[in-house]
Amino acid sequence: MPILYRAGLIALLIAGLSLESNAQRYSGISHDTDVKIPRIENGTAMIDGVMTDDVWSQAAILADFSQYQPVDGRPAANPTEVYVWYAADAIYFGIKATELGGDVVRATQANRDNIASEDHVQILLDTENSNRIGYLFGVNPFGVQQDGTRSDQFGGGAGGRSATGGGSRNISPLDGSVDLNPDYSWDSAGRLTDTGYEVEIRIPFKSLRYQDSDVQDWGIHVLRRVQHSGFQDTWAPAIRANASFLGQSGTLTGLRDMERGLVLDVTPTVTSALAGAEDIDGDWAYSDDTQFGADVKWGIRQNLVLNGTVNPDFSQVEADVGQVVLNERFALFFPDKRPFFLEGLELFDTPGQMIYTRRIVAPIAGAKVTGKVGKLNVATILAADDEEYSASGSDNPLFGVARIRRDLKDNNTVGAVLTTREDGNQYSRLLGADGRFYHGQRYFVEGQVVGSWTDAGQGSVSGSFSNIQWDRTGRRWGFNYGVNTVSPDFQAAAGFVNRTGIVDAHAFNRLSFYGEEGVLVETIGGFTGITRIWNYDDTSAGPIEGGESVFPSATLRGGWNISGSLNRNFFTYLPEDYASYDVVSSPTAAFSEVFEIPEQETNQFSGSIGVTTPTFRLFTLSLSTSRGQTPIFAEASQGNSTSYSVVLDARPTSSIRASFQMQHYTLRRDLDDSQFSKEIIPRLKVEYQLTPDIFFRVIGQYAARERSALKDREGNLIRINGDLTSDSESNSLRTDWLFSYRPNPGTLLYLGYGSTMEDAGQKRFEDLRRLNDGFFLKLSYLFRV
């Protein structure tokens, strides 16, 4: 062996030893999770994905991860080391993720937040050390960023988040109340190595809210997702027999003298839309709508932030994904994506979704304060909506929202919520209290009581809302039992309560079994559910809806997932829904008859099955199908539904990603097996990440919908308000193109084009007729002091 070569190896070995010689190692699996985080004065590191800077040799090392999914408590199959230290103005993380399975790392140059299907590491920082809310910073092997918040509290996200109790299913660290809509300013870079991947992260204290004290401790969780095996590992050991995931965090101790500096961000925005459609003369014409707005953020203190906005951009660049809506009875829920509302959004969470920021449709101005005052978590909004959405058409509806929560010992909380919508002489006001209390390691009780007072121009009415749930999150056995009551006159003008006048109860029980290491079936189990719904004003008449369900599932070696369901349901048709109905024997019949509302539908059986493949290098595939009996609510008749769904995510190169989705839903009458409705929605999305800052996307979605004229159970035609219904069919093609340049979360340029076309060629694309189109521009720039 040449002397120079041997000398080089010795030098590398010495360098490698010196990298760890001054570092304190903390073994997660040994529960050595109180980390004395080193402060390195004047320390700095180049964030390039290569951990060769001297400061890394002084960092604390978080090592010896354990598995959380599919089986908790086992040593992690692939080693992970996370280096951590901090300077006066930022905290630094270095990640060394080893892959023992060979060349199986899954990673692409994805768009921000779009790394869930890839290998990635998440760092959860609980800067209040309260075990309730954590900042989420995730990276894939190339350093592509994912950020947001994760909360153990509540399931009613103000912007669209939801959580399922421990009795409903096996919760993973990525479930619960996770919101990836907020974007923070931080730096990351990564690279693939011969043994896995390496990532460097720098998070400025300016981008965080934290305690207002000279010396403080932070909670920390580190999670690693290994896609080819489907395993999820955590540094601080996390077990399923615990009702709080964040409550099982480690701790970064002794952080001091952090220099956050002045937090003052100003983001002016200009949006311009050029909408095209036929005018009254049949010519294609465009109308321009250009608007200017601005967002301002001021960090009053380390844990208190003031936000202001003038004419905020809606930021719905991509249309909401198509949903099957032909047989729905209640409103659909979509998340908020406007930057002004995303700041501190997790602090507005309540158990029953009493706050839903999309109710403020098009505010002309707004102000918000979020953070901590003393021992209270505080979140408030004051906003004036556009007069277009007032009852008179000339007033600006004024929204006031306030949410406070007091953290008690042992992760317990109590809180209150107050909302109001003032619209001229009309109003809708709401006041409520809530709490969550843990008992034992596995249990919590959560509840809320709310009252509303509303005057919509026809006199004042009041209503009430209450709920309570009891949850057990055990390793083998879990449950979630709950009762909700909503009076008929309850209104949440700033919330999302899509059904009133009911009392509903549910009882879910979960059983889970775990195989030995290396066996084919890693986990198998499922949960059973019983639901009942009563009419609020007549509970003595018995339930009007309900059912029993079984949801089995299994995780197989290599990341395969199989799930299914078997359901028995019953329904009652509500007379008020059919007050305007009558029936005739033929279109020319001279006389009509009273529409007879059938009695309760019983023994409505249905089932489903789904399979998801592992995350292969080039693709991931999910297939599901369902079939069963279901009421046709528009006709108050019995039917049978069939549906299937296909989702294919393809990654042909590290820069190109494609997603194909197909939803198919058919509903047929029991009466004569005729088709009542059919909906087919194929959707294709192709993304090209040219550079970390430049992104192209094209989306094409075809929606084919058919629905027949309404008939009653005897085959007679149904009239609504004296008018016969008719067969309807629509076939539309929607395409959206987007160019995005975003060097940081506040500075961006969006250029987009979208069009909707009608397919008169009956799904043959022979005669596409343009219905509307539009060009879109958004430009904003972040001025950070």
Side-chain angles (χ1 to χ4, degrees):
M1 181 181 294
I3 294 177
L4 290 178
Y5 181 66
R6 285 185 292 175
L9 285 179
I10 293 172
L12 287 174
L13 179 61
I14 292 173
L17 291 174
S18 64
L19 181 65
E20 299 187 10
S21 60
N22 299 323
Q24 176 69 42
R25 189 179 182 89
Y26 294 87
S27 172
I29 203 167
S30 299
H31 295 273
D32 185 14
T33 56
D34 288 335
V35 180
K36 296 179 180 178
I37 180 172
R39 177 186 173 94
I40 304 177
E41 301 293 344
N42 301 317
T44 186
M46 181 178 293
I47 306 301
D48 56 7
V50 183
M51 294 173 57
T52 55
D53 298 285
D54 292 339
V55 289
W56 294 114
S57 65
Q58 304 173 57
I61 302 175
L62 315 183
D64 301 331
F65 282 52
S66 55
Q67 190 181 119
Y68 183 81
Q69 277 196 336
V71 181
D72 58 336
R74 293 175 179 168
N78 293 283
T80 308
E81 291 182 337
V82 176
Y83 295 69
V84 56
W85 59 277
Y86 75 107
D89 60 344
I91 187 169
Y92 292 78
F93 293 91
I95 300 166
K96 291 187 175 182
T98 302
E99 178 53 69
L100 301 179
D103 185 22
V104 292
V105 174
R106 310 290 191 240
T108 66
Q109 297 288 354
N111 198 21
R112 190 186 190 101
D113 291 333
N114 196 16
I115 62 173
S117 62
E118 307 189 351
D119 281 79
H120 60 270
V121 173
Q122 287 184 345
I123 297 168
L124 301 177
L125 290 179
D126 177 8
T127 57
E128 293 290 337
N129 200 29
S130 63
N131 299 328
R132 292 171 179 85
I133 298 174
Y135 287 99
L136 186 156
F137 298 93
V139 287
N140 80 349
F142 291 126
V144 176
Q145 296 181 357
Q146 175 194 67
D147 49 8
T149 61
R150 186 196 192 282
S151 173
D152 278 349
Q153 299 289 307
F154 311 122
R161 291 157 291 150
S162 63
T164 305
S168 299
R169 58 175 173 170
N170 293 325
I171 296 178
S172 80
L174 302 181
D175 290 332
S177 190
V178 173
D179 185 5
L180 297 179
N181 286 311
D183 292 328
Y184 308 112
S185 181
W186 51 295
D187 302 306
S188 62
R191 64 188 179 97
L192 297 176
T193 67
D194 292 339
T195 58
Y197 59 93
E198 193 170 295
V199 184
E200 291 180 304
I201 296 172
R202 178 183 182 271
I203 305 172
F205 295 135
K206 189 184 290 284
S207 295
L208 299 172
R209 286 177 298 184
Y210 50 89
Q211 304 160 52
D212 193 10
S213 59
D214 294 333
V215 181
Q216 53 193 277
D217 300 338
W218 290 3
I220 182 172
H221 245 316
V222 184
L223 301 77
R224 178 182 174 186
R225 174 74 179 186
V226 182
Q227 284 293 353
H228 76 90
S229 65
F231 290 174
Q232 290 177 350
D233 304 329
T234 63
W235 167 66
I239 61 174
R240 297 184 180 281
N242 197 305
S244 172
F245 181 75
L246 291 177
Q248 302 178 73
S249 300
T251 308
L252 301 177
T253 64
L255 286 93
R256 58 181 175 81
D257 301 327
M258 293 176 288
E259 298 177 6
R260 190 170 184 240
L262 175 64
V263 176
L264 182 58
D265 297 346
V266 180
T267 310
T269 303
V270 56
T271 60
S272 181
L274 194 63
E278 288 185 354
D279 60 19
I280 58 175
D281 297 324
D283 298 323
W284 200 260
Y286 286 94
S287 59
D288 176 48
D289 182 16
T290 300
Q291 299 188 26
F292 297 89
D295 291 337
V296 179
K297 174 182 176 181
W298 174 39
I300 303 173
R301 296 205 313 264
Q302 286 94 326
N303 56 359
L304 193 64
V305 176
L306 170 66
N307 294 85
T309 188
V310 176
N311 196 23
D313 165 48
F314 194 72
S315 289
Q316 195 87 1
V317 175
E318 179 180 342
D320 294 314
V321 175
Q323 301 188 50
V324 174
V325 298
L326 290 181
N327 201 36
E328 294 290 336
R329 292 186 293 163
F330 308 108
L332 299 175
F333 186 77
F334 296 102
D336 204 334
K337 296 181 181 294
R338 293 169 289 184
F340 167 75
F341 291 102
L342 296 178
E343 173 73 34
L345 188 64
E346 68 281 356
L347 297 177
F348 290 94
D349 286 359
T350 71
Q353 289 184 296
M354 295 298 112
I355 300 173
Y356 177 42
T357 53
R358 271 184 78 156
R359 294 294 190 201
I360 309 173
V361 183
I364 58 174
K368 178 171 67 172
V369 175
T370 56
K372 201 157 191 174
V373 178
K375 295 184 178 181
L376 290 178
N377 294 284
V378 176
T380 64
I381 294 177
L382 183 64
D385 214 346
D386 191 277
E387 59 188 23
E388 176 185 354
Y389 300 98
S390 69
S392 64
S394 58
D395 295 303
N396 292 109
L398 184 65
F399 282 85
V401 174
R403 169 70 170 142
I404 60 173
R405 193 187 73 235
R406 173 69 184 269
D407 297 337
L408 307 175
K409 58 184 288 187
D410 299 325
N411 291 358
N412 300 325
T413 61
V414 294
V417 59
L418 169 66
T419 72
T420 183
R421 184 182 188 273
E422 306 291 327
D423 183 7
N425 295 325
Q426 301 181 19
Y427 61 83
S428 179
R429 300 162 186 165
L430 177 151
L431 176 65
D434 57 82
R436 173 183 280 211
F437 302 94
Y438 291 85
H439 59 103
Q441 188 180 49
R442 301 175 175 87
Y443 301 86
F444 72 81
V445 175
E446 178 181 272
Q448 185 172 32
V449 178
V450 185
S452 72
W453 298 265
T454 305
D455 188 340
Q458 299 176 345
S460 179
V461 296
S462 62
S464 63
F465 171 97
S466 65
N467 68 5
I468 187 169
Q469 64 170 316
W470 183 30
D471 189 282
R472 182 186 196 272
T473 305
R475 189 172 190 267
R476 289 192 179 276
W477 173 50
F479 62 69
N480 184 281
Y481 306 146
V483 178
N484 304 277
T485 65
V486 192
S487 70
D489 292 323
F490 180 81
Q491 293 191 36
F496 187 82
V497 178
N498 68 343
R499 190 175 182 183
T500 60
I502 61 170
V503 176
D504 72 84
H506 68 264
F508 294 107
N509 285 275
R510 172 183 54 83
L511 288 175
S512 302
F513 301 93
Y514 307 91
E516 297 295 329
E517 191 169 1
V519 299
L520 175 62
V521 181
E522 294 173 333
T523 65
I524 189 169
F527 65 91
T528 61
I530 300 175
T531 61
R532 293 292 186 270
I533 299 177
W534 293 265
N535 187 311
Y536 183 91
D537 293 326
D538 191 12
T539 56
S540 62
I544 59 175
E545 291 182 27
E548 300 82 36
S549 303
V550 180
F551 298 89
S553 62
T555 302
L556 308 184
R557 185 175 61 238
W560 289 86
N561 286 277
I562 302 174
S563 61
S565 68
L566 181 62
N567 316 284
R568 187 201 76 92
N569 298 303
F570 61 91
F571 302 89
T572 299
Y573 303 106
L574 304 179
E576 58 268 27
D577 293 341
Y578 307 97
S580 59
Y581 280 39
D582 64 353
V583 297
V584 293
S585 58
S586 70
T588 59
F591 302 99
S592 65
E593 299 179 11
V594 174
F595 178 75
E596 295 186 5
I597 303 173
E599 296 182 357
Q600 191 176 82
E601 302 282 12
T602 60
N603 295 326
Q604 302 282 289
F605 289 97
S606 62
S608 67
I609 187 169
V611 178
T612 300
T613 72
T615 304
F616 297 117
R617 179 171 296 280
L618 296 180
F619 73 92
T620 306
L621 178 65
S622 295
L623 304 172
S624 64
T625 183
S626 67
R627 182 174 175 81
Q629 299 169 301
T630 184
I632 302 176
F633 293 107
E635 298 182 335
S637 63
Q638 190 166 342
N640 287 279
S641 66
T642 303
S643 69
Y644 66 80
S645 173
V646 178
V647 180
L648 173 65
D649 291 320
R651 297 169 290 275
T653 73
S654 63
S655 299
I656 298 176
R657 299 161 62 104
S659 176
F660 173 77
Q661 301 177 44
M662 170 71 81
Q663 297 184 64
H664 184 284
Y665 181 82
T666 303
L667 186 58
R668 308 189 73 86
R669 298 182 176 95
D670 260 9
L671 172 66
D672 53 9
D673 198 38
S674 62
Q675 177 180 291
F676 170 74
S677 65
K678 182 169 68 173
E679 185 161 3
I680 304 173
I681 305 177
R683 188 173 197 263
L684 176 65
K685 177 169 67 174
V686 180
E687 301 173 334
Y688 176 46
Q689 196 78 34
L690 180 62
T691 71
D693 300 334
I694 298 176
F695 172 68
F696 297 89
R697 181 180 68 208
V698 59
I699 300 173
Q701 177 173 296
Y702 192 95
R705 297 183 171 95
E706 301 174 8
R707 195 170 96 161
S708 70
L710 303 185
K711 300 178 181 179
D712 71 0
R713 293 187 174 221
E714 304 300 324
N716 297 314
L717 299 175
I718 292 176
R719 299 194 310 183
I720 301 178
N721 292 320
D723 296 324
L724 287 171
T725 63
S726 60
D727 296 345
S728 63
E729 180 177 0
S730 65
N731 302 289
S732 62
L733 174 65
R734 174 73 188 179
T735 58
D736 290 282
W737 304 75
L738 176 70
F739 166 80
S740 167
Y741 171 67
R742 186 163 72 161
N744 63 58
T747 299
L748 56 87
L749 169 65
Y750 286 151
L751 293 172
Y753 171 77
S755 67
T756 301
M757 290 174 282
E758 180 183 39
D759 183 8
Q762 299 296 317
K763 301 186 284 293
R764 296 182 179 89
F765 301 95
E766 296 173 351
D767 187 14
L768 288 173
R769 176 177 172 268
R770 185 172 48 161
L771 298 179
N772 56 66
D773 71 351
F775 297 88
F776 175 82
L777 165 70
K778 176 181 177 181
L779 178 64
S780 68
Y781 189 84
L782 171 63
F783 294 94
R784 169 162 281 192
V785 178

